[in-house]
Amino acid sequence: MKLLRLTATATLTALALTACGGEKIGDTPAAGASSGAAACGTFNLAVNPWVGYEANAAVIAYVAEKNLGCKVTKKDLKEEIAWQGFGTGEVDAIVENWGHDDLKKKYIDEQKTAVAAGETGNKGVIGWYVAPWMAAQYPDITDWNNLNKYAAQFKTSESGDKGQLLDGDPSFVTNDEALVKNLKLNYKVVYAGSEAALITAFRQSEAKKTPLIGYFYEPQWFLSELKLVKINLPKYETGCDADAAKVACDYPEYVLDKIVSKKFADAGGPAYQLVKKFTWTNDDQNLVAKYISEDKLSADDAAKKWVEANPDKVKAWLAQ
Amino acid sequence: MAATTVPLQRTWRRPGKPVLVAGVLLAWVLIWLPTRGLHTLGLSPADLTPLHHWLNDVNDTVGANRNSSPIFLYFFNEIRAAVDSLVTLLQDLIAQPSYGRPVPVLGWLGVVAVVAYLSWVFAGWKPALLAAAGFVFFGLQGLWEESMDTLALTLGAVLISLLIGIPLGIWAGLSDRFHRLVTPALDFMQTMPTFVYLAPLTLFFLIGPASATIATLIYAVPPAIRLTAHGIRSVPRSAVEATESLGATGRQKLTGVLLPLAKRTIILGVNQTIMAALSMVTIAALIDAPGLGKTVVKALQTLDVGTAFNAGLAIVVMAVVLDRVTTAAGNRVRTTGRVQRFRKPLLVVFGVVAAVCAYLSHTYFWAAEFPDDFAIGSTLSKGADSVALWAQEDLSTTTEAIKNAITYALLNPLEALLVESPWWLVGAVAVLLAALLGNLRAVIVTAVCVAVLIGTGLWQDSMTTLAMTIVATAMVMILGVVVGVWMGRNRLADRVIRPVLDAGQTMPAFVYLVPFLALFSATRFTAIVAAVVFAAPVAIKIVADGVRGIPATTAEAATAAGSSTWQMITKVQLPMARPSLTLAANQGLIYVLSMVVVGGLVGAGALGYDVVAGFSQGQLYGKGLAAGAAIVVLGIMLDRIARASSPSKGSNQP
């Protein structure tokens, strides 16, 4: 027994040492130390956890690496923590920011560790949505005045004797409780708690033709899978949402923008110039988001595909 | 019911106690009817109390002074640097391209060989084979690098946990005073939701592996401390007295008697620490911890159940491998007496083989990077996808019905009673129950807990969460008793079910959130089901262990007396396993509470939502922190009331 094992191992050892060659590590030059990195240096890019953001980050990172020779370090972080990273020098840029006036006040005005770097070109739309089958079957549901008529249909185990209005991820600011109250709607806001919960709910609603009304937003990769229909709330006018408790109007259109660390902006390197000039449309973003989410490309491959199809847009970001 | 069937046990000191408890509950309902809706201390999701504002300010002040305060420059930064270099070293060794090389120092072949060799040396043949198979499986899944990152982070956290935990555990084992002092702190560390301290941690220790390791550490160190202390405390008095009579010094007593005799329990602590560390993998990914957790979180963004499952499965496999190896190593400690004749030469031979493999994986690409020709990852994820889809389409009508039945019959009435009662009524009932079931201490603790809950400003949310917690814990206990007794009585059932339980405990909740959401919608019930999946395994395991621990002679006597199976279970096995049932309820409760935050992600609202919101939005940070504290307080309160009512008061804390 012992002998057998010894022989076996001896054979294996001999085999390993002599017979198998294969490519040796170190024969080829190491991949990391390519030239050109010196001009740009390391670029710390925060990646917030939603696919639309990932699309922005993917394209910017791809261009920064391929065209500018930067070494891009992507950091997966929630927004709040990404903003903190400006102060500690661990994050250079956030490339899709939704509002966050409190964070702007804290980090841009008070601590002065961050600066705004312009719009991304994406328009953020927030509102109440229903699945397409509902809008087709009940065309007048898209007018908020008719919502009470349908309240009973939206009843669930969570909403008591009222209709359920499903709200989502706590990251997004919502006026929905005030809206329900001030518009005298017979609804109860139920918090799904995550984007995954919202999307699953809408998917089920369409697949099983079950009534569902909920908070949603664009740009969003899911809209390329299922075209949700927006409910028209009373039109937004400047200042109608000034008092959070008295809001009775639709959400404003959010202008999504980019935030960078002050140090990064002051240094003014090529990566900063790229971030500053980067802008595209909701359709652009949704396309890259679709590559990532539905076609399951890696972020890098998705970016490559889009960049190669849109050389003009990329050229404009790189122009001096 | 127990009181009538178990006359032998001193369960109730006064015969009228169950009647009194029922009376209190009846009075509650009667007072509730006219007072419902009064003094419920509601607070809407966006509203804040002065306490929440103050906590926000504290957080801001810390952030603003980050770069100037000496505490940061000379204390936190030093800790960070040390932890960071340890984790980076481990990553360089097995996970990340390092030292100018395109691959880590040890490639897959080397890691597999070294792991198998170490498992064989410390645990034996079977665990070694399992370890090798498990590690090769990571490569086949196409997740080699991610798995090694996770392993590096876990090892880093576990090493530091043991470095801190074992000395503290020894201290707690020797000193009653320190033990009393440290126990509530450990409870706190285990029940405080991780989400609450993730953001502050990155403030103290910056973004990156160091923060992730420290977050993991906070959750993983308590079992090491507890079990080391437990091991030292369980050393028989006679052994200690014998050494004392021989005039041994304190040091000799410790190294010569206490530590060797406590070794097995300490290894169990190591095992539990590893499990706890692995369960933090996905949460830590939210602050950029590398590894499998990232894959899970990214997959959740696109609701890609298959990919999340594939990565989750790798975590489960890693947990099972590490569990079996450390458990076998722990059992081996007892049986070191019989050394085989061949062991020494084999040690050398296999050592050489492992070294050769390590060398090869250091030198050649084929041994360094796992070949992707045999990838089964995509097959696995496609399979998981189609199973999930089938369940969502074909089962969801049934599951909706179950959800509705339990929600309307059980959850809604209970929640109405708790949430719509005036706070003073609920508080009075809690204190009365503590008085009836327990002692003065329980009364004081309960009263303080009620006061703190009111102080957090989140009374109503706490009551909503409490209702869910009670329903979930009840379901956990039903499962625990039914499956636990079955497993305890039947070896085969045990062998088949145990891996399923392991998976339930270690599969990250993020993986099954999406299918559960499809099955049960975004509801409180989904949160309850998720909590049950996580908490039932531990309850089942403890009950099974208790049933199996009943002396064979007792069971034989009952069989000889002509008991039927049913009588055997209800009259002998369950009553005799009563301490295990109490422990199962206690652990089940703690595990359910640790899932409150996950519940917040799937529609449970209340405290879980508050915590998640605090993590996501700066102005809600203080409220999230208060919600985390409320969860801890709920845990303490329920635990004290439940423990006070058990026959063996608190003696079964592990």
Side-chain angles (χ1 to χ4, degrees):
Chain A
M1 180 90 172
K2 179 186 166 192
L3 203 72
L4 187 82
R5 281 185 200 144
L6 267 177
T7 327
T9 43
T11 325
L12 186 82
T13 319
L15 207 126
L17 283 175
T18 54
C20 23
E23 201 183 340
K24 259 189 161 180
I25 295 161
D27 283 355
T28 44
S34 63
S35 59
C40 176
T42 304
F43 171 31
N44 294 310
L45 182 57
V47 181
N48 290 171
W50 61 88
V51 184
Y53 186 113
E54 218 186 330
N56 286 23
V59 169
I60 291 176
Y62 182 82
V63 174
E65 271 177 347
K66 288 281 154 358
N67 298 58
L68 303 174
C70 309
K71 184 180 182 313
V72 180
T73 314
K74 287 187 188 171
K75 297 189 174 173
D76 291 297
L77 302 165
K78 290 277 263 180
E79 298 105 293
E80 175 75 1
I81 293 168
W83 282 76
Q84 264 178 23
F86 290 141
T88 53
E90 301 219 305
V91 170
D92 291 329
I94 290 175
V95 291
E96 181 177 295
N97 170 53
W98 284 68
H100 286 301
D101 289 333
D102 56 320
L103 292 175
K104 283 187 172 165
K105 184 164 159 264
K106 186 162 143 190
Y107 292 100
I108 296 181
D109 301 341
E110 288 167 12
Q111 297 189 13
K112 300 197 196 311
T113 52
V115 290
E119 299 170 12
T120 65
N122 293 135
K123 299 277 177 274
V125 181
I126 293 179
W128 298 356
Y129 290 78
V130 291
W133 77 270
M134 275 210 95
Q137 194 164 334
Y138 312 103
D140 66 341
I141 203 171
T142 54
D143 181 354
W144 71 270
N145 286 300
N146 299 322
L147 283 180
N148 274 342
K149 198 166 85 183
Y150 295 102
Q153 288 210 37
F154 293 117
K155 234 163 71 172
T156 70
S157 62
E158 307 303 292
S159 62
D161 47 7
K162 296 176 173 179
Q164 167 181 285
L165 175 67
L166 196 64
D167 258 41
D169 189 297
S171 302
F172 299 118
V173 177
T174 157
N175 304 327
D176 287 357
E177 294 218 17
L179 276 169
V180 164
K181 192 164 145 250
N182 298 332
L183 297 174
K184 301 193 172 47
L185 296 174
N186 191 23
Y187 283 79
K188 184 183 174 201
V189 180
V190 171
Y191 293 91
S194 60
E195 188 180 84
L198 266 184
I199 293 176
T200 309
F202 277 116
R203 249 188 203 163
Q204 290 283 95
S205 168
E206 178 70 11
K208 309 203 109 149
K209 305 278 178 280
T210 45
L212 179 83
I213 182 168
Y215 177 101
F216 213 68
Y217 33 83
E218 53 183 304
Q220 222 307 333
W221 66 269
F222 180 63
L223 295 176
S224 66
E225 177 186 321
L226 191 67
K227 192 75 201 143
L228 299 180
V229 180
K230 190 169 184 284
I231 308 285
N232 295 313
L233 292 170
K235 213 171 150 35
Y236 175 82
E237 273 155 37
T238 314
C240 74
D241 57 353
D243 184 348
K246 293 191 182 130
V247 178
C249 61
D250 209 342
Y251 290 88
E253 190 172 75
Y254 280 86
V255 176
L256 308 189
D257 60 352
K258 299 156 287 185
I259 311 289
V260 297
S261 103
K262 183 144 192 326
K263 240 185 267 166
F264 182 61
D266 289 347
Y272 169 68
Q273 299 298 339
L274 172 65
V275 170
K276 197 164 184 289
K277 291 208 186 85
F278 169 84
T279 108
W280 63 352
T281 65
N282 280 14
D283 287 341
D284 289 328
Q285 194 199 67
N286 282 342
L287 188 62
V288 178
K290 180 187 165 287
Y291 293 155
I292 296 174
S293 61
E294 267 183 62
D295 308 344
K296 307 212 164 147
L297 295 185
S298 72
D300 211 40
D301 289 343
K304 184 165 184 263
K305 195 167 167 184
W306 186 89
V307 166
E308 280 169 5
N310 295 277
D312 299 346
K313 289 190 182 178
V314 176
K315 215 178 198 175
W317 304 337
L318 295 169
Q320 285 303 310
Chain B
M1 57 153 199
T4 51
T5 52
V6 202
L8 288 175
Q9 299 212 345
R10 296 178 298 110
T11 313
W12 312 105
R13 270 170 296 170
R14 273 173 294 165
K17 218 169 236 188
V19 185
L20 287 175
V21 170
V24 169
L25 295 179
L26 183 69
W28 182 5
V29 176
L30 288 179
I31 303 175
W32 170 75
L33 285 172
T35 57
R36 63 185 292 186
L38 289 172
H39 308 151
T40 56
L41 305 180
L43 188 72
S44 89
D47 286 345
L48 300 176
T49 70
L51 173 76
H52 305 161
H53 283 295
W54 180 76
L55 289 169
N56 282 346
D57 292 342
V58 171
N59 188 38
D60 291 350
T61 316
V62 172
N65 295 323
R66 173 85 188 59
N67 290 326
S68 50
S69 160
I71 292 192
F72 278 106
L73 294 178
Y74 301 111
F75 183 67
F76 289 121
N77 287 3
E78 295 299 319
I79 294 180
R80 172 183 196 265
V83 174
D84 204 42
S85 50
L86 173 67
V87 177
T88 316
L89 176 76
L90 289 167
Q91 277 185 301
D92 286 346
L93 211 56
I94 58 173
Q96 292 292 331
S98 55
Y99 309 113
R101 293 153 47 86
V103 288
V105 172
L106 272 189
W108 69 270
L109 186 66
V111 174
V112 172
V114 169
V115 166
Y117 179 67
L118 291 178
S119 305
W120 174 73
V121 171
F122 291 107
W125 276 110
K126 268 192 187 163
L129 280 177
L130 178 77
F135 274 65
V136 170
F137 182 67
F138 300 145
L140 292 177
Q141 282 185 296
L143 293 169
W144 180 261
E145 191 181 328
E146 290 86 346
S147 301
M148 288 309 107
D149 267 327
T150 293
L151 185 67
L153 205 71
T154 307
L155 284 182
V158 169
L159 279 178
I160 305 171
S161 288
L162 299 182
L163 223 59
I164 302 172
I166 290 182
L168 283 180
I170 291 173
W171 189 7
L174 297 175
S175 151
D176 284 340
R177 203 156 150 213
F178 183 68
H179 191 246
R180 271 200 304 275
L181 200 73
V182 83
T183 303
L186 298 181
D187 288 342
F188 192 83
M189 286 159 79
Q190 281 186 302
T191 33
M192 188 65 154
T194 330
F195 274 73
V196 169
Y197 53 78
L198 274 189
L201 267 184
T202 58
L203 204 59
F204 284 91
F205 299 107
L206 305 182
I207 294 157
S211 283
T213 310
I214 292 166
T216 308
L217 180 75
I218 294 176
Y219 186 68
V221 76
I225 302 178
R226 273 191 219 273
L227 281 154
T228 305
H230 181 66
I232 287 185
R233 284 172 175 272
S234 317
V235 171
R237 281 306 306 164
S238 54
V240 183
E241 274 157 16
T243 29
E244 272 166 352
S245 69
L246 290 172
T249 62
R251 191 186 179 77
Q252 285 168 329
K253 204 168 75 184
L254 185 66
T255 54
V257 182
L258 290 175
L259 282 182
L261 286 177
K263 210 162 161 187
R264 202 173 67 86
T265 319
I266 295 176
I267 290 179
L268 184 64
V270 175
N271 170 300
Q272 287 303 303
T273 296
I274 294 174
M275 295 297 113
L278 270 177
S279 71
M280 282 287 296
V281 166
T282 38
I283 306 282
L286 295 173
I287 48 171
D288 202 40
L292 295 163
K294 259 193 190 182
T295 314
V296 173
V297 170
K298 290 255 166 188
L300 188 69
Q301 284 170 28
T302 54
L303 275 57
D304 184 349
V305 177
T307 304
F309 174 79
N310 194 29
L313 188 63
I315 297 175
V316 172
V317 169
M318 191 176 293
V320 170
V321 166
L322 294 176
D323 175 70
R324 299 298 187 266
V325 170
T326 45
T327 307
N331 290 337
R332 207 183 178 88
V333 167
R334 284 185 301 186
T335 55
T336 35
R338 45 186 190 93
V339 180
Q340 296 134 327
R341 199 155 55 90
F342 299 132
R343 193 163 163 82
K344 270 232 174 89
L346 279 183
L347 268 179
V348 177
V349 171
F350 287 134
V352 170
V353 173
V356 168
C357 290
Y359 167 76
L360 290 174
S361 76
H362 184 76
T363 317
Y364 295 102
F365 271 109
W366 63 267
E369 286 171 331
F370 202 91
D372 46 11
D373 312 341
F374 321 100
I376 53 165
S378 62
T379 321
L380 273 172
S381 56
K382 273 194 202 111
D385 251 344
S386 47
V387 170
L389 203 67
W390 165 79
Q392 289 165 23
E393 280 172 0
D394 293 357
L395 290 183
S396 60
T397 322
T398 323
T399 48
E400 279 283 317
I402 296 173
K403 175 208 88 185
N404 283 337
I406 292 189
T407 307
Y408 288 119
L410 202 60
L411 186 57
N412 279 352
L414 186 61
E415 191 180 303
L417 187 62
L418 279 164
V419 173
E420 291 172 14
S421 288
W423 63 265
W424 43 264
L425 181 57
V426 182
V429 169
V431 171
L432 269 176
L433 285 181
L436 281 175
L437 299 172
N439 48 15
L440 184 64
R441 224 186 124 126
V443 173
I444 295 170
V445 171
T446 308
V448 171
C449 287
V450 169
V452 174
L453 282 182
I454 293 168
T456 59
L458 295 166
W459 174 261
Q460 196 175 56
D461 283 354
S462 304
M463 290 303 109
T464 312
T465 297
L466 179 58
M468 284 183 272
T469 306
I470 292 173
V471 173
T473 311
M475 287 169 71
V476 165
M477 281 315 288
I478 293 170
L479 275 173
V481 170
V482 173
V483 184
V485 168
W486 184 30
M487 280 172 67
R489 293 171 53 88
N490 186 334
R491 279 277 167 194
L492 180 68
D494 185 280
R495 210 166 302 153
V496 175
I497 297 172
R498 203 162 277 267
V500 179
L501 301 182
D502 290 337
Q505 275 185 295
T506 44
M507 180 66 82
F510 283 14
V511 173
Y512 50 77
L513 284 192
V514 172
F516 277 17
L517 282 164
L519 290 176
F520 305 108
S521 314
T523 58
R524 291 161 294 163
F525 187 71
T526 312
I528 292 176
V529 177
V532 170
V533 167
F534 182 62
V538 68
I540 294 172
K541 282 180 184 173
I542 294 172
V543 172
D545 194 52
V547 168
R548 198 167 301 127
I550 294 166
T553 46
T554 317
E556 275 159 20
T559 317
S563 310
S564 66
T565 307
W566 178 250
Q567 283 171 328
M568 177 78 169
I569 294 172
T570 54
K571 300 267 163 72
V572 181
Q573 290 178 321
L574 278 182
M576 289 202 59
R578 210 186 148 97
S580 300
L581 290 183
T582 317
L583 180 63
N586 162 289
Q587 290 296 300
L589 173 71
I590 289 182
Y591 275 59
V592 165
L593 282 173
S594 71
M595 287 290 279
V596 165
V597 175
V598 169
L601 294 170
V602 292
L607 293 180
Y609 184 88
D610 294 333
V611 170
V612 180
F615 179 51
S616 304
Q617 274 193 50
Q619 73 265 37
L620 293 178
Y621 169 74
K623 192 177 186 181
L625 188 57
I631 293 172
V632 175
V633 169
L634 275 182
I636 295 172
M637 189 167 84
L638 287 172
D639 181 56
R640 282 304 139 86
I641 296 180
R643 217 189 291 175
S645 69
S646 80
S648 48
K649 288 188 173 53
S651 61
N652 41 27
Q653 182 82 349

Short mmCIF file of all heavy atoms in Angstrom, two decimals, chain A residues 19 30 38 45 65 70 83 85 118 150 180 186 192 194 199 204 233 239 245 288 298 300-301 311 319:
data_model
loop_
_atom_site.label_atom_id
_atom_site.label_comp_id
_atom_site.label_asym_id
_atom_site.label_seq_id
_atom_site.Cartn_x
_atom_site.Cartn_y
_atom_site.Cartn_z
N ALA A 19 7.93 16.06 -18.11
CA ALA A 19 7.13 15.90 -19.32
C ALA A 19 6.36 17.16 -19.71
O ALA A 19 6.36 17.56 -20.86
CB ALA A 19 6.17 14.74 -19.16
N ALA A 30 4.97 41.35 -18.56
CA ALA A 30 3.76 41.53 -17.76
C ALA A 30 2.82 42.52 -18.42
O ALA A 30 3.26 43.50 -19.02
CB ALA A 30 4.13 42.01 -16.37
N ALA A 38 1.46 56.87 -17.70
CA ALA A 38 2.06 57.95 -16.93
C ALA A 38 1.33 59.27 -17.13
O ALA A 38 1.10 60.02 -16.17
CB ALA A 38 3.53 58.10 -17.33
N LEU A 45 -12.85 55.39 -10.21
CA LEU A 45 -14.22 55.65 -10.65
C LEU A 45 -15.19 54.88 -9.77
O LEU A 45 -15.11 53.65 -9.68
CB LEU A 45 -14.34 55.21 -12.12
CG LEU A 45 -15.66 55.40 -12.83
CD1 LEU A 45 -16.08 56.87 -12.81
CD2 LEU A 45 -15.55 54.92 -14.27
N GLU A 65 -9.30 54.15 -20.69
CA GLU A 65 -8.24 53.16 -20.80
C GLU A 65 -7.67 53.08 -22.21
O GLU A 65 -6.46 53.10 -22.41
CB GLU A 65 -8.76 51.77 -20.38
CG GLU A 65 -8.61 51.53 -18.89
CD GLU A 65 -9.18 50.20 -18.43
OE1 GLU A 65 -9.92 49.56 -19.21
OE2 GLU A 65 -8.92 49.82 -17.28
N CYS A 70 -5.29 55.58 -19.30
CA CYS A 70 -5.39 55.66 -17.83
C CYS A 70 -5.45 54.25 -17.25
O CYS A 70 -5.86 53.31 -17.91
CB CYS A 70 -6.66 56.38 -17.39
SG CYS A 70 -6.92 57.96 -18.16
N TRP A 83 -19.64 59.31 -2.07
CA TRP A 83 -19.42 60.73 -1.77
C TRP A 83 -18.39 60.89 -0.66
O TRP A 83 -17.54 61.78 -0.71
CB TRP A 83 -20.73 61.41 -1.36
CG TRP A 83 -21.65 61.75 -2.49
CD1 TRP A 83 -22.43 60.88 -3.17
CD2 TRP A 83 -21.89 63.04 -3.06
NE1 TRP A 83 -23.15 61.54 -4.13
CE2 TRP A 83 -22.84 62.87 -4.07
CE3 TRP A 83 -21.39 64.33 -2.80
CZ2 TRP A 83 -23.31 63.94 -4.85
CZ3 TRP A 83 -21.87 65.38 -3.57
CH2 TRP A 83 -22.82 65.19 -4.58
N GLY A 85 -15.98 59.07 -0.18
CA GLY A 85 -14.68 58.75 -0.75
C GLY A 85 -13.97 59.96 -1.34
O GLY A 85 -12.75 59.95 -1.49
N GLY A 118 -20.80 69.03 -14.37
CA GLY A 118 -21.70 69.15 -15.51
C GLY A 118 -22.67 67.99 -15.68
O GLY A 118 -22.59 66.97 -14.99
N TYR A 150 -60.15 52.86 -9.54
CA TYR A 150 -59.48 51.56 -9.65
C TYR A 150 -58.88 51.08 -8.33
O TYR A 150 -58.27 50.02 -8.28
CB TYR A 150 -58.37 51.65 -10.71
CG TYR A 150 -58.91 51.88 -12.11
CD1 TYR A 150 -58.87 53.14 -12.69
CD2 TYR A 150 -59.48 50.83 -12.83
CE1 TYR A 150 -59.36 53.35 -13.97
CE2 TYR A 150 -59.98 51.04 -14.11
CZ TYR A 150 -59.92 52.30 -14.67
OH TYR A 150 -60.42 52.50 -15.92
N VAL A 180 -50.45 61.06 -2.10
CA VAL A 180 -51.67 60.28 -1.87
C VAL A 180 -52.63 61.08 -0.97
O VAL A 180 -53.83 61.17 -1.23
CB VAL A 180 -51.32 58.92 -1.23
CG1 VAL A 180 -52.55 58.26 -0.64
CG2 VAL A 180 -50.68 58.00 -2.27
N ASN A 186 -57.44 57.10 -2.50
CA ASN A 186 -57.74 56.04 -1.56
C ASN A 186 -56.69 54.93 -1.67
O ASN A 186 -56.99 53.79 -2.01
CB ASN A 186 -59.15 55.50 -1.86
CG ASN A 186 -59.64 54.58 -0.77
OD1 ASN A 186 -59.17 54.66 0.37
ND2 ASN A 186 -60.56 53.71 -1.10
N ALA A 192 -41.62 48.55 -1.19
CA ALA A 192 -41.02 47.30 -1.65
C ALA A 192 -39.60 47.18 -1.13
O ALA A 192 -39.13 46.09 -0.85
CB ALA A 192 -41.03 47.24 -3.17
N SER A 194 -36.63 47.66 -2.52
CA SER A 194 -35.49 47.49 -3.42
C SER A 194 -35.97 47.57 -4.86
O SER A 194 -37.13 47.33 -5.15
CB SER A 194 -34.80 46.15 -3.19
OG SER A 194 -35.71 45.11 -3.41
N ILE A 199 -39.11 45.70 -9.83
CA ILE A 199 -39.08 45.13 -11.18
C ILE A 199 -39.78 43.78 -11.20
O ILE A 199 -40.58 43.49 -12.09
CB ILE A 199 -37.62 45.00 -11.67
CG1 ILE A 199 -37.02 46.40 -11.87
CG2 ILE A 199 -37.55 44.21 -12.96
CD1 ILE A 199 -35.57 46.41 -12.27
N GLN A 204 -44.30 40.40 -12.88
CA GLN A 204 -45.41 39.52 -12.53
C GLN A 204 -46.73 40.12 -13.00
O GLN A 204 -47.60 39.40 -13.48
CB GLN A 204 -45.49 39.32 -11.01
CG GLN A 204 -44.38 38.50 -10.43
CD GLN A 204 -44.56 37.02 -10.69
OE1 GLN A 204 -44.02 36.49 -11.65
NE2 GLN A 204 -45.31 36.34 -9.86
N LEU A 233 -49.79 62.76 -13.33
CA LEU A 233 -50.16 63.44 -12.09
C LEU A 233 -50.32 64.92 -12.42
O LEU A 233 -49.94 65.36 -13.51
CB LEU A 233 -49.05 63.23 -11.05
CG LEU A 233 -48.89 61.80 -10.55
CD1 LEU A 233 -47.64 61.66 -9.71
CD2 LEU A 233 -50.11 61.37 -9.74
N GLY A 239 -41.47 75.10 -7.90
CA GLY A 239 -41.87 75.48 -6.55
C GLY A 239 -43.05 74.72 -6.00
O GLY A 239 -43.34 74.83 -4.80
N ALA A 245 -44.58 68.47 2.76
CA ALA A 245 -45.85 67.95 3.27
C ALA A 245 -47.03 68.32 2.39
O ALA A 245 -48.08 67.70 2.45
CB ALA A 245 -46.07 68.44 4.69
N VAL A 288 -26.68 50.64 -23.87
CA VAL A 288 -25.55 50.00 -23.19
C VAL A 288 -26.06 49.17 -22.00
O VAL A 288 -25.60 48.06 -21.75
CB VAL A 288 -24.51 51.04 -22.74
CG1 VAL A 288 -23.37 50.37 -21.99
CG2 VAL A 288 -23.97 51.79 -23.94
N SER A 298 -20.06 41.67 -20.70
CA SER A 298 -19.36 42.29 -19.58
C SER A 298 -19.42 43.80 -19.80
O SER A 298 -19.63 44.26 -20.94
CB SER A 298 -17.92 41.82 -19.53
OG SER A 298 -17.21 42.41 -20.60
N ASP A 300 -17.17 45.90 -19.96
CA ASP A 300 -16.15 46.32 -20.91
C ASP A 300 -16.57 46.03 -22.35
O ASP A 300 -16.43 46.88 -23.24
CB ASP A 300 -14.84 45.58 -20.57
CG ASP A 300 -13.64 46.42 -20.93
OD1 ASP A 300 -13.68 47.64 -20.70
OD2 ASP A 300 -12.66 45.85 -21.45
N ASP A 301 -17.10 44.84 -22.59
CA ASP A 301 -17.53 44.49 -23.95
C ASP A 301 -18.70 45.35 -24.40
O ASP A 301 -18.79 45.74 -25.57
CB ASP A 301 -17.93 43.01 -24.00
CG ASP A 301 -16.71 42.09 -23.88
OD1 ASP A 301 -15.59 42.60 -24.09
OD2 ASP A 301 -16.89 40.91 -23.56
N PRO A 311 -18.37 56.55 -33.01
CA PRO A 311 -17.06 57.23 -32.92
C PRO A 311 -17.18 58.75 -32.80
O PRO A 311 -16.36 59.37 -32.12
CB PRO A 311 -16.37 56.83 -34.23
CG PRO A 311 -17.46 56.37 -35.13
CD PRO A 311 -18.56 55.86 -34.28
N ALA A 319 -12.10 65.87 -27.68
CA ALA A 319 -11.60 67.09 -28.30
C ALA A 319 -11.01 68.04 -27.26
O ALA A 319 -11.54 68.18 -26.17
CB ALA A 319 -12.73 67.79 -29.07
#
